Amino acid sequence: MRSTASYVVPFADHLKGRGYKDETIKPYMTSLKLFCTHLGYLKKHHPVEITEADMHSFVRYLSQTPFRGGNLLSAASVNLRIRHIRQFCAWLYRSEVILSDVGQALSYTKKVIRKEKRIFTTDEINRFLGCIEDLLYRTIFELMYATGIRLAEVAGLDVGDIDLGGRTLMVRCGKGDKDRCVPFHTTAAARLKSYLKVREEMKQRERTEALFLSHYGRITTSPIRKAFKEYVEKAGITKAGLTPHS
């Protein structure tokens, strides 16, 4: 009989097959490592041995155990781990590894009170976009501003996700693990059209369907974050707490 831990890699492959990026899958692996470690303490080594009581025990373990730095996990972090394990158990159930979806026994912790989000004013966003001369980043931020899609979502776009004629884009496995169709305005469409012409001349395009390319292939979120900070400073915007999602 296979151990619970032996199903972690196949689950990661399942996520990749659904379009999840490596940077999205990595936190899942951390959650599953914690889960399997806890099951080991309970001497539950096989998926069919897992009970709802074990699930409740895991939540208490997450909520009450000091982790890195001797600190307890925040409610947001606990809820993230719970979501990952619920998805893992649901996959085990659909794969007929377990007889019931025990992950449904996991309940999210108390609602997290979020800090007030800082946003650009109209003048600030115009100054920010106006100072970006690089076509790649101008297109990325123009599209994020026009659609409200998130950083990982814009980095994960493929050329085939864009419908210039209909002025829509398809976000695959976005927030809430759902696909969604998002419209964008004519300004963003014109910027995308210009970028796509330049992209056709890039050698990297031969190796990937990624829409936005760096010198090494699909662009990642790190250089976009770095560029965001640089352009905010260049635009002379001093408001604290701004992020690419502002």
Side-chain angles (χ1 to χ4, degrees), residues 160-173:
D161 295 329
I162 304 297
D163 178 3
L164 276 178
R167 296 209 311 272
T168 60
L169 61 84
M170 181 64 70
V171 177
R172 311 278 180 187
C173 297

Side-chain angles (χ1 to χ4, degrees), residues 231-245:
Y231 289 125
V232 165
E233 183 176 345
K234 183 177 179 181
I237 301 170
T238 57
K239 182 185 291 181
L242 291 173
T243 73
H245 302 136

Side-chain angles (χ1 to χ4, degrees), residues 17-34:
R18 291 191 58 194
Y20 284 54
K21 310 307 176 187
D22 288 341
E23 62 191 36
T24 303
I25 295 174
K26 187 175 180 179
Y28 279 83
M29 298 300 98
T30 300
S31 299
L32 289 169
K33 182 178 179 179
L34 288 173

Side-chain angles (χ1 to χ4, degrees), residues 11 33 37 64-65 71 74 81 92 95 115 127 160 167 171-172 188 207 210 218 231 234 239:
F11 178 64
K33 182 178 179 179
T37 298
Q64 300 172 11
T65 304
N71 298 317
S74 67
R81 305 300 181 203
L92 288 175
S95 302
K115 295 180 180 179
R127 285 160 50 197
R167 296 209 311 272
V171 177
R172 311 278 180 187
R207 304 192 302 270
R218 182 185 298 275
Y231 289 125
K234 183 177 179 181
K239 182 185 291 181

